[in-house]
Amino acid sequence: MKYITTVDDKQFLVEIIDEKHVSVDGRMYEVDFESVSGQPVYSLIVNGRSHESYIQPGDDAWQVLLRGRLYPVKVEDEREKRLRAAAGGGVAETGEFHLKAPMPGLVVAVPVAEGEHVKKGQVLVILESMKMQNELKSPRDGVVNRIRVRAGESVAQKQALLSVQ
Amino acid sequence: MKYITTVDDKQFLVEIIDEKHVSVDGRMYEVDFESVSGQPVYSLIVNGRSHESYIQPGDDAWQVLLRGRLYPVKVEDEREKRLRAAAGGGVAETGEFHLKAPMPGLVVAVPVAEGEHVKKGQVLVILESMKMQNELKSPRDGVVNRIRVRAGESVAQKQALLSVQ
Amino acid sequence: MFKKVLIANRGEIAVRIIRACRELGIETVAVYSEADRRALHVRYADEAYLLGPAPSRESYLRADKILEIARKSGADAIHPGYGFLAERDDFAAACEEGRIAFIGPKPSAIAAMGDKAVARATVIKAGVPVVPGTEDVGNMTNDDLLGIAPKIGFPLLIKATAGGGGKGMREVRSLEEMPTLLESARREAESAFGDGNVYLEKLVEGARHIEFQILADSQGNAIHLGERECSLQRRHQKLLEEAPSPELDEELRNRMGSVAVKSAQAVNYVNAGTIEFLLDKDRNFYFLEMNTRLQVEHPVTEMVTGIDIVKEQIRIARGRALSYKQEDVHFNGHAIECRINAEDPYNNFMPSTGRITHSLLPTGPGVRVDTGVYPGFEITPFYDPMIAKLIVWGETRAQAILRMRRALEEYRIVGVRTNIPFHQTMMDSHRFMAGQYDTRFVEERFSMDDAEEHRRKNEEVAAILATLVAHQQTERSAQFVQRNERDTSNWKWVGRWERMHR
Amino acid sequence: MFKKVLIANRGEIAVRIIRACRELGIETVAVYSEADRRALHVRYADEAYLLGPAPSRESYLRADKILEIARKSGADAIHPGYGFLAERDDFAAACEEGRIAFIGPKPSAIAAMGDKAVARATVIKAGVPVVPGTEDVGNMTNDDLLGIAPKIGFPLLIKATAGGGGKGMREVRSLEEMPTLLESARREAESAFGDGNVYLEKLVEGARHIEFQILADSQGNAIHLGERECSLQRRHQKLLEEAPSPELDEELRNRMGSVAVKSAQAVNYVNAGTIEFLLDKDRNFYFLEMNTRLQVEHPVTEMVTGIDIVKEQIRIARGRALSYKQEDVHFNGHAIECRINAEDPYNNFMPSTGRITHSLLPTGPGVRVDTGVYPGFEITPFYDPMIAKLIVWGETRAQAILRMRRALEEYRIVGVRTNIPFHQTMMDSHRFMAGQYDTRFVEERFSMDDAEEHRRKNEEVAAILATLVAHQQTERSAQFVQRNERDTSNWKWVGRWERMHR
């Protein structure tokens, strides 16, 4: 099975040959891959080097925590890759962005109004949680839409707060 | 629900009244009972006293590990208690005793022969495991029967080794 | 000796205090909110009583309930830990009235030092240097403050008079931005302390935050246990502390130490407390404030002095003399503490909640972990995000850094995001290694991307790992499909069985 | 500096050595058996290579494979830990030939001290007092030994010449029982060391087992790091060690320490080693043997001296001079180590295997845990039952005992039985508290039933707990029945659905 795997801005062609062998851009590696105690903790020995990693699925990339550094890694098989190429790039910049509460908390303020033009990085909602005031910012330029919460309101994790179009 | 609960040589009449109340020999206690992280670890707060315990089923009694001490506790409901009383006491002293391997290991020696009379405490099998030679002793007087292993043989946990009648 | 101590706190500090009590043969009473029924302090204490719902105001801030539980359980003393009721003079006074020993200073000392404005005035009288700012004032209006600000000069800090932990603190660069910042500072202070009062202080640039641990008994003895270097902060929250400070020599330590003792004596201080100083580039130091309680970072002092500060607090509260004179206090080696917070350093330090499913503590030589969590414990949004303190000791600062590096690498927490990668990046920072940092370092000159070379090295490994996991998942979902197919055929089989027996 | 060290061991000691290497910036190579693929030392090392199947002979004793892996991975040095290949002079010699540094003494010193009979002869020449026994003899037959035994006098000990850890050791009370015991001692020695040779030694009654930690460099410097008290043993296996010994004063410490250094110098010893003494009731001491390796119990010495013995071993192996002179070694406070074994103290210390499902380590001030296991790890019957070492430090012996008591109470291990209750009972024993014990104490004067009062207090709580669990189980199985009933009705529903669509 062949995959196109992207880490940061770097692309690797990874082929899973069998249980014990993987090739990366044509370089062959002997691998020994085990999950530890039923958790998303993985032990990988590749050509003798021992690595331990905590791997979780993220929104559009795997979150690989390796020796304390976080690597977002996109894994696509060839079919997916072709589909995406056909659809054209720049996916994230179009469509509506839905701001969801990253954790349960109390809305302290919503310093924007519906219809307001916002810049990338501008604060959309201030959410208090764990005794801290957290500023939730816009990931891009756009127009605020559908504000669903008010200051003083408690929100659950992943609750929709507003969107930016 | 009423239980007759025996710890060491002491008997308690324990009644589970509802989720928050238990009476012991007529004394009423307020209890808050929780298991911790899906393990056989239990937190019990009884009239404000906080206890944590590791509780496992044993052969004929619950094994309660509490502040480092082990308490074998027999819990019977009234029906069981009556049945046992009708059957008469001294259960452990009659019938055949089956010696099973308490852990996987290597049989080093079987210093008894079939038909041999053994005393309580006499060594029946020497089993090597974890680099230690462990002497498996007879729990009572009797006659050795059905020896199923020989020195040099590897055995699995709970494998039958011999019996004493 | 006290027979029973109630710990009016939660988390790692409640566990820390229970440990000290147990080692002294004192029984312990825990109190807990509904969110904390399975918390470690409840599991470890001899007794435990429910306070109320999760929010602090309905549980850990309920002084009335806590005193009632103390009476009911027959506790002789209450240890407040830090935060919550620790710096509330009315609570300390209520304990006194209820004839329950408060393990901390007298209410008068808490009051004097708790109001930052009063504290400044008091120590100025005792000849202690302070940072220029608003003097001898309590309830200043925004107009008052806006008027005084230009005289102090910008940049300056707005600080909550009831403050602590950077809450209600704002940095002001110009008069224009000040009204908005005053509003948000007051709002945060009101929400954190129930008191929206603020005051102003000149911002000392390039400053280090150095604090001295004080112990004072009721017989008039007061000593210091040396300093802690606490300059590594983010949004005025300390992240990492060390002892001794890489900046101090013995002469300056002695000089600052005796000023610290003098500051404590200015309010007839009894028990453990901390004098915070700013140290500027020219090695001038200014009194900032006194924390009239045990500090989060007390373990670094314990590691280099061998003195158990909590046990000494209990001893002092019993009216006994200190176990140590100043000349008995010796400093040995170097200690560093990293605060492990449930925060994502890759996402603007956003707090993270959830269940800790797997955890492996670093252990071995020279490593101490103070924590209130364990695998299976749920991190809720109700309390602060600090889940553990990782403390190491080394013969030298360099050895302590290397040991911290290996301990951070060993520490595994699965289920919530933590700031461990932040501390790892810090340990690799050349400026940190050289001890060249001030209170602005984290926010202004530190980046999580620092270690680019490290990164490159492991990209290929990350690629292999993620691909193997993705591949495994694909395979597994394929199997599910197959199993579902079997299930379907089972249903078919039922149907057939039904037909057969019709 | 070495760039890469191979650790020819497993379990807690492999992890301990990896930690030291990491703190020195040295890369680490782990080796592992098939049973240990998920072991902590494999998880923590930079590299890891499979040795072979679980049994030691096919894995951790495969010197040839280990050397091959060292060569292949480019390791400069091998640390053998304790046990396995640590005291095999042929292995040390093979390392030397392969130009790989052996982190331990020269093969000649291992050989001289490894054969207990030769060791005795060597130190006698250097004027060191020894326990009376068989002298200067290697391969003695049973007949030889039976002939010499009455001259030494009973009781006496049969000991394996290649021995260590009490394996192949037997106590003999009379000539009659001696032949059988010789057989079993030889059998055990053969199986443990591949060498069935034994010798005899007078049994010193009421003796304490006191050992001195030695460090010696290749430049002729040799120092001791004080003593460890190791008298608490069961079947000649140490269970608990402390430093300093409650029996020694400074005068005796200096005297024994200099004899220990002299003993090591008698074989031109280099690196870390331990001289074991018996100390009788009249404070006479006798050389017992030298362990030419790192000891299990080295951490208690580290806790009271602040010296990292493993790091010092690596330094010595690089040819550097010791970091300390004798006068730099200071003893501070008191340390105790409890060996946590997977053994059931309520069932004749029977080893226990299985998966550790839940584990909570004691932490906080003055506590160190050295372990190779974690929740999810499987304890197999292939290796020794020690799963962790719990070490505490206190300002005094009393404080260390109280701290150990609280640490033992905090330690939770679920899934295998452990000897933690044994240590808890020990901490409550008056004789232990008073320091009044000898090597026979555990076997002859100690009982797990000691603490009868403790027991009574908690019987009612145990009754409530077990009843609640039993009740819960009954309720749950009742629910299962109900759910099954629902399942059945589901099937009925399928049938009905089938009929409807017929």
Side-chain angles (χ1 to χ4, degrees):
Chain A
M1 190 82 173
K2 280 181 191 165
Y3 296 89
I4 292 101
T5 300
T6 313
V7 188
D8 298 331
D9 52 348
K10 217 166 160 183
Q11 221 173 63
F12 299 91
L13 179 69
V14 183
E15 185 173 3
I16 313 273
I17 293 161
D18 59 34
E19 257 197 21
K20 292 277 169 201
H21 296 87
V22 165
S23 97
V24 180
D25 296 339
R27 295 180 298 278
M28 182 70 81
Y29 293 107
E30 204 183 311
V31 297
D32 179 352
F33 181 63
E34 292 256 352
S35 91
V36 174
S37 49
Q39 294 292 330
V41 181
Y42 297 90
S43 168
L44 172 71
I45 302 178
V46 39
N47 286 5
R49 304 235 24 121
S50 177
H51 303 279
E52 187 166 303
S53 180
Y54 168 40
I55 305 176
Q56 274 196 313
D59 285 342
D60 64 343
W62 293 91
Q63 305 290 311
V64 178
L65 194 64
L66 182 63
R67 297 228 160 184
R69 319 283 159 193
L70 188 75
Y71 300 84
V73 184
K74 214 172 266 184
V75 182
E76 297 165 298
D77 64 27
E78 284 178 317
R79 193 183 50 85
E80 287 169 339
K81 176 80 178 174
R82 270 196 303 273
L83 278 174
R84 198 164 61 91
V91 181
E93 298 301 316
T94 66
E96 200 168 358
F97 163 73
H98 298 279
L99 179 65
K100 290 176 182 170
M103 73 207 76
L106 180 79
V107 175
V108 176
V110 185
V112 293
E114 286 195 7
E116 186 176 332
H117 279 268
V118 292
K119 295 255 166 233
K120 180 175 169 176
Q122 190 171 336
V123 176
L124 301 174
V125 173
I126 300 174
L127 185 67
E128 186 177 303
S129 187
M130 290 178 147
K131 307 276 140 196
M132 298 283 286
Q133 300 202 349
N134 304 289
E135 299 181 332
L136 309 182
K137 296 172 182 174
S138 180
R140 57 183 172 79
D141 297 356
V143 178
V144 175
N145 212 340
R146 290 191 281 178
I147 298 183
R148 296 185 186 169
V149 290
R150 281 176 310 184
E153 204 171 306
S154 284
V155 294
Q157 191 166 10
K158 298 209 170 158
Q159 186 174 328
L161 306 177
L162 54 75
S163 39
V164 177
Q165 199 146 28
Chain B
M1 191 80 176
K2 280 182 191 165
Y3 295 90
I4 292 102
T5 300
T6 314
V7 189
D8 298 330
D9 51 350
K10 216 164 160 184
Q11 222 174 63
F12 299 91
L13 179 68
V14 183
E15 186 173 2
I16 314 272
I17 294 161
D18 58 35
E19 257 196 20
K20 291 277 169 202
H21 296 88
V22 165
S23 96
V24 181
D25 296 339
R27 294 180 298 278
M28 182 70 81
Y29 293 107
E30 203 182 311
V31 297
D32 179 352
F33 181 63
E34 292 256 352
S35 91
V36 175
S37 50
Q39 294 292 330
V41 180
Y42 298 90
S43 168
L44 172 71
I45 302 179
V46 39
N47 285 6
R49 302 234 29 119
S50 177
H51 304 278
E52 187 166 303
S53 179
Y54 168 39
I55 304 176
Q56 274 196 315
D59 285 341
D60 64 342
W62 294 91
Q63 304 289 311
V64 178
L65 194 63
L66 181 63
R67 298 229 159 183
R69 319 284 159 191
L70 188 74
Y71 300 84
V73 184
K74 212 171 268 182
V75 182
E76 297 166 298
D77 62 27
E78 284 179 316
R79 193 182 50 86
E80 287 169 340
K81 175 80 179 174
R82 269 196 304 272
L83 277 175
R84 198 165 61 88
V91 181
E93 298 301 316
T94 65
E96 201 167 358
F97 164 73
H98 298 279
L99 178 66
K100 290 175 181 169
M103 74 208 74
L106 180 80
V107 175
V108 176
V110 184
V112 293
E114 287 196 7
E116 187 176 332
H117 279 268
V118 292
K119 294 255 165 231
K120 179 175 170 177
Q122 190 172 336
V123 176
L124 301 174
V125 172
I126 301 174
L127 185 67
E128 186 176 303
S129 187
M130 291 177 144
K131 306 276 138 196
M132 298 282 288
Q133 300 202 349
N134 304 290
E135 299 181 333
L136 309 182
K137 295 172 183 174
S138 180
R140 56 181 172 81
D141 298 357
V143 178
V144 175
N145 212 341
R146 291 191 279 182
I147 297 181
R148 294 182 188 171
V149 289
R150 279 177 311 183
E153 204 171 309
S154 284
V155 293
Q157 191 165 10
K158 298 208 173 161
Q159 187 173 327
L161 305 178
L162 55 77
S163 38
V164 176
Q165 198 145 30
Chain C
M1 182 53 85
F2 298 132
K3 280 193 60 185
K4 202 182 272 188
V5 171
L6 183 149
I7 296 102
N9 217 304
R10 66 178 299 282
E12 67 87 18
I13 198 63
V15 172
R16 167 73 186 88
I17 297 162
I18 289 171
R19 284 177 170 145
C21 290
R22 187 144 294 168
E23 291 175 13
L24 291 169
I26 301 173
E27 286 200 88
T28 51
V29 179
V31 289
Y32 62 97
S33 75
E34 283 167 6
D36 278 341
R37 169 62 182 88
R38 297 173 185 200
L40 212 52
H41 73 290
V42 176
R43 293 175 64 180
Y44 281 176
D46 294 302
E47 299 180 33
Y49 298 91
L50 180 67
L51 281 170
S56 305
R57 279 175 187 285
E58 299 174 58
S59 50
Y60 298 104
L61 289 171
R62 286 289 301 268
D64 55 335
K65 275 208 176 175
I66 289 170
L67 281 163
E68 188 196 312
I69 290 168
R71 267 188 297 273
K72 195 172 73 177
S73 64
D76 324 283
I78 293 182
H79 197 305
Y82 52 71
F84 298 126
L85 300 170
E87 292 180 281
R88 289 263 298 267
D89 59 329
D90 53 346
F91 180 66
C95 289
E96 219 167 57
E97 278 158 35
R99 312 181 115 257
I100 292 167
F102 178 77
I103 301 175
K106 296 278 155 226
S108 57
I110 301 178
M113 286 300 191
D115 187 304
K116 308 306 173 201
V118 176
R120 284 169 59 86
T122 310
V123 300
I124 288 169
K125 263 182 237 155
V128 173
V130 301
V131 182
T134 47
E135 305 296 341
D136 59 36
V137 274
N139 298 296
M140 296 189 92
T141 64
N142 285 1
D143 284 347
D144 295 339
L145 294 168
L146 289 164
I148 291 171
K151 290 172 207 157
I152 296 169
F154 295 96
L156 56 74
L157 284 175
I158 302 170
K159 297 176 87 173
T161 55
K167 276 156 208 145
M169 197 185 285
R170 291 293 183 278
E171 189 183 318
V172 190
R173 297 259 145 207
S174 69
L175 195 58
E176 292 71 53
E177 62 178 22
M178 197 164 146
T180 325
L181 292 168
L182 272 173
E183 275 320 313
S184 71
R186 284 188 192 275
R187 191 172 58 220
E188 200 170 274
E190 176 68 42
S191 126
F193 316 110
D195 176 357
N197 269 317
V198 296
Y199 66 106
L200 305 180
E201 204 174 78
K202 175 143 186 62
L203 182 71
V204 180
E205 294 192 275
R208 283 173 176 265
H209 179 121
I210 307 279
E211 61 183 33
F212 273 74
Q213 176 68 53
I214 300 294
L215 289 178
D217 64 27
S218 54
Q219 307 178 15
N221 305 302
I223 62 172
H224 72 84
L225 304 186
E227 82 282 8
R228 290 184 289 258
E229 162 73 67
C230 310
S231 300
L232 290 178
Q233 307 183 349
R234 192 186 154 273
R235 293 168 70 180
H236 303 287
Q237 298 274 0
K238 295 169 190 165
L239 289 164
L240 184 157
E241 299 95 351
E242 48 182 324
S245 165
E247 189 66 14
L248 263 61
D249 54 24
E250 202 171 326
E251 182 273 325
L252 186 54
R253 177 171 305 117
N254 291 340
R255 205 144 47 86
M256 290 178 77
S258 57
V259 169
V261 168
K262 194 160 64 173
S263 309
Q265 284 169 331
V267 292
N268 296 314
Y269 198 81
V270 170
N271 215 295
T274 296
I275 308 289
E276 296 192 337
F277 291 107
L278 279 186
L279 180 70
D280 74 14
K281 291 171 197 159
D282 306 317
R283 294 160 71 89
N284 300 309
F285 59 90
Y286 308 95
F287 172 89
L288 256 186
E289 60 180 52
M290 179 169 196
N291 294 312
T292 57
R293 51 159 166 91
L294 188 64
Q295 296 277 87
V296 174
E297 57 271 26
H298 74 277
V300 292
T301 301
E302 294 185 325
M303 298 290 264
V304 295
T305 61
I307 295 173
D308 188 316
I309 294 173
V310 179
K311 285 185 190 164
E312 207 61 18
Q313 282 194 294
I314 294 171
R315 186 182 169 86
I316 293 167
R318 287 171 53 215
R320 305 287 296 273
L322 289 176
S323 313
Y324 311 89
K325 295 191 182 4
Q326 190 66 56
E327 61 266 29
D328 300 331
V329 179
H330 301 289
F331 305 105
N332 181 23
H334 195 95
I336 302 177
E337 170 181 282
C338 289
R339 298 189 185 196
I340 310 300
N341 294 340
E343 291 175 346
D344 185 355
Y346 292 104
N347 182 17
N348 200 30
F349 292 86
M350 189 66 75
S352 171
T353 58
R355 181 184 296 272
I356 296 176
T357 56
H358 186 76
S359 159
L360 209 52
L361 296 184
T363 61
V367 175
R368 165 176 169 184
V369 181
D370 277 21
T371 182
V373 306
Y374 58 87
F377 189 71
E378 185 91 26
I379 308 295
T380 65
F382 301 108
Y383 313 109
D384 78 59
M386 194 180 75
I387 55 177
K389 302 185 311 203
L390 172 56
I391 308 116
V392 303
W393 177 90
E395 284 187 89
T396 61
R397 184 168 186 268
Q399 287 190 27
I401 292 173
L402 288 163
R403 182 161 280 167
M404 181 57 90
R405 199 184 282 187
R406 85 83 183 150
L408 288 165
E409 201 168 301
E410 280 179 22
Y411 207 159
R412 313 262 194 269
I413 300 178
V414 177
V416 294
R417 296 289 177 96
T418 75
N419 65 349
I420 289 174
F422 163 81
H423 289 298
Q424 289 183 295
T425 309
M426 182 61 72
M427 291 300 126
D428 287 341
S429 142
H430 294 291
R431 278 180 164 277
F432 175 74
M433 282 190 250
Q436 292 166 350
Y437 58 85
D438 60 30
T439 55
R440 321 297 301 227
F441 177 62
V442 174
E443 279 164 293
E444 295 177 2
R445 290 185 302 284
F446 177 80
S447 157
M448 284 300 291
D449 312 328
D450 259 350
E452 205 51 41
E453 349 143 41
H454 273 272
R455 193 161 186 85
R456 294 284 156 198
K457 214 170 58 184
N458 282 314
E459 274 172 347
E460 190 176 14
V461 177
I464 296 175
L465 277 161
T467 311
L468 284 166
V469 172
H471 181 70
Q472 209 172 56
Q473 204 193 39
T474 310
E475 301 260 290
R476 204 174 288 145
S477 54
Q479 274 172 9
F480 273 125
V481 172
Q482 284 168 13
R483 197 176 307 155
N484 283 339
E485 279 169 4
R486 267 200 300 281
D487 280 350
T488 317
S489 66
N490 242 347
W491 282 62
K492 281 193 196 138
W493 181 87
V494 173
R496 226 175 296 140
W497 186 87
E498 278 278 336
R499 277 191 293 274
M500 270 176 60
H501 291 79
R502 235 180 289 155
Chain D
M1 182 54 83
F2 298 132
K3 279 192 59 187
K4 201 182 272 186
V5 170
L6 183 148
I7 296 103
N9 215 305
R10 65 179 299 282
E12 67 87 16
I13 198 63
V15 172
R16 167 72 186 89
I17 298 162
I18 289 171
R19 285 176 170 145
C21 291
R22 187 143 294 167
E23 292 175 12
L24 291 169
I26 301 173
E27 287 200 87
T28 51
V29 180
V31 290
Y32 62 96
S33 74
E34 283 167 7
D36 278 340
R37 169 63 182 88
R38 297 172 185 201
L40 212 51
H41 72 291
V42 176
R43 294 173 65 179
Y44 282 176
D46 294 303
E47 299 181 32
Y49 298 91
L50 180 67
L51 281 170
S56 305
R57 280 177 186 284
E58 298 174 59
S59 51
Y60 298 104
L61 289 171
R62 286 289 302 267
D64 55 335
K65 276 208 174 174
I66 289 170
L67 281 164
E68 188 196 313
I69 290 168
R71 267 189 296 274
K72 196 171 72 178
S73 64
D76 323 284
I78 292 182
H79 197 305
Y82 52 70
F84 298 126
L85 300 170
E87 292 179 283
R88 288 263 300 267
D89 59 328
D90 53 346
F91 181 65
C95 289
E96 220 167 57
E97 277 159 35
R99 312 181 114 256
I100 292 165
F102 178 79
I103 301 175
K106 296 277 156 228
S108 57
I110 301 178
M113 286 300 191
D115 187 305
K116 307 306 172 201
V118 176
R120 284 169 58 86
T122 309
V123 300
I124 288 168
K125 262 182 237 155
V128 173
V130 301
V131 183
T134 47
E135 307 295 342
D136 60 36
V137 274
N139 298 296
M140 294 189 92
T141 63
N142 286 2
D143 285 346
D144 295 340
L145 294 167
L146 289 165
I148 291 171
K151 288 172 208 155
I152 296 168
F154 295 96
L156 57 74
L157 285 175
I158 303 170
K159 297 175 87 172
T161 55
K167 275 157 208 143
M169 197 184 284
R170 291 293 183 279
E171 189 183 317
V172 191
R173 295 260 145 206
S174 69
L175 195 59
E176 293 70 54
E177 63 179 22
M178 196 163 146
T180 325
L181 293 169
L182 273 173
E183 276 321 313
S184 70
R186 283 189 193 274
R187 192 170 57 220
E188 200 170 274
E190 176 69 41
S191 125
F193 315 110
D195 175 356
N197 268 317
V198 296
Y199 68 105
L200 305 181
E201 204 174 79
K202 175 141 188 62
L203 181 72
V204 179
E205 295 192 273
R208 284 173 174 264
H209 179 121
I210 307 280
E211 61 183 31
F212 273 74
Q213 177 68 52
I214 300 295
L215 289 178
D217 64 27
S218 54
Q219 306 177 17
N221 305 302
I223 62 172
H224 71 85
L225 304 186
E227 82 283 8
R228 291 184 287 259
E229 162 74 65
C230 310
S231 301
L232 290 178
Q233 308 183 349
R234 193 186 154 273
R235 292 170 69 181
H236 303 286
Q237 298 274 0
K238 295 169 189 164
L239 289 165
L240 184 156
E241 300 93 351
E242 48 183 323
S245 164
E247 189 66 15
L248 263 60
D249 54 25
E250 202 170 325
E251 182 275 325
L252 186 55
R253 176 171 304 117
N254 291 340
R255 204 145 47 86
M256 291 178 77
S258 57
V259 169
V261 169
K262 193 159 65 173
S263 310
Q265 284 169 330
V267 291
N268 296 315
Y269 198 81
V270 170
N271 214 294
T274 296
I275 308 288
E276 296 191 338
F277 292 107
L278 279 186
L279 179 69
D280 74 14
K281 291 170 198 160
D282 307 316
R283 294 160 70 88
N284 300 309
F285 60 90
Y286 308 96
F287 172 89
L288 256 185
E289 61 181 50
M290 179 169 197
N291 293 313
T292 57
R293 52 160 166 91
L294 188 63
Q295 297 276 88
V296 173
E297 57 270 26
H298 75 276
V300 291
T301 301
E302 295 186 325
M303 299 289 265
V304 295
T305 61
I307 294 171
D308 188 317
I309 294 172
V310 178
K311 285 186 189 163
E312 208 59 19
Q313 283 194 294
I314 294 171
R315 185 180 168 87
I316 293 166
R318 289 170 54 214
R320 306 286 296 274
L322 289 176
S323 312
Y324 311 88
K325 296 193 180 6
Q326 190 66 56
E327 60 266 29
D328 300 330
V329 180
H330 301 289
F331 305 105
N332 181 23
H334 195 96
I336 302 177
E337 170 180 283
C338 288
R339 299 190 184 196
I340 309 300
N341 294 340
E343 291 175 345
D344 185 353
Y346 291 104
N347 182 17
N348 201 28
F349 292 86
M350 189 67 76
S352 170
T353 57
R355 181 183 296 272
I356 297 175
T357 55
H358 185 76
S359 159
L360 208 53
L361 295 184
T363 60
V367 174
R368 165 175 170 186
V369 181
D370 277 22
T371 182
V373 305
Y374 58 87
F377 188 70
E378 186 90 25
I379 308 296
T380 66
F382 300 109
Y383 313 109
D384 78 58
M386 194 180 74
I387 55 177
K389 302 184 311 201
L390 172 56
I391 309 114
V392 303
W393 177 90
E395 283 186 90
T396 62
R397 184 168 186 267
Q399 286 189 26
I401 292 174
L402 289 163
R403 182 162 279 167
M404 181 58 88
R405 200 183 282 186
R406 87 82 182 149
L408 287 165
E409 200 167 303
E410 280 179 22
Y411 207 158
R412 314 262 196 265
I413 300 179
V414 177
V416 295
R417 297 288 176 98
T418 75
N419 65 350
I420 289 174
F422 163 82
H423 289 297
Q424 289 184 293
T425 309
M426 182 61 72
M427 290 301 128
D428 287 341
S429 140
H430 295 289
R431 278 181 164 276
F432 175 74
M433 282 192 249
Q436 291 166 351
Y437 58 83
D438 60 31
T439 55
R440 322 298 300 229
F441 177 62
V442 174
E443 280 165 294
E444 295 177 2
R445 287 185 303 285
F446 177 80
S447 157
M448 284 300 291
D449 312 327
D450 259 350
E452 205 51 44
E453 348 142 42
H454 273 272
R455 195 163 184 85
R456 293 284 156 197
K457 215 170 59 185
N458 282 315
E459 274 173 348
E460 189 176 14
V461 178
I464 296 173
L465 277 160
T467 311
L468 284 166
V469 173
H471 180 71
Q472 210 174 55
Q473 206 193 42
T474 310
E475 302 261 289
R476 204 175 288 146
S477 55
Q479 275 172 9
F480 274 126
V481 173
Q482 284 169 14
R483 196 177 308 154
N484 283 338
E485 279 168 4
R486 268 199 300 279
D487 280 350
T488 317
S489 67
N490 244 345
W491 282 62
K492 279 192 196 140
W493 183 87
V494 173
R496 227 175 294 140
W497 187 86
E498 278 278 340
R499 274 190 293 274
M500 271 174 62
H501 291 78
R502 231 180 292 156

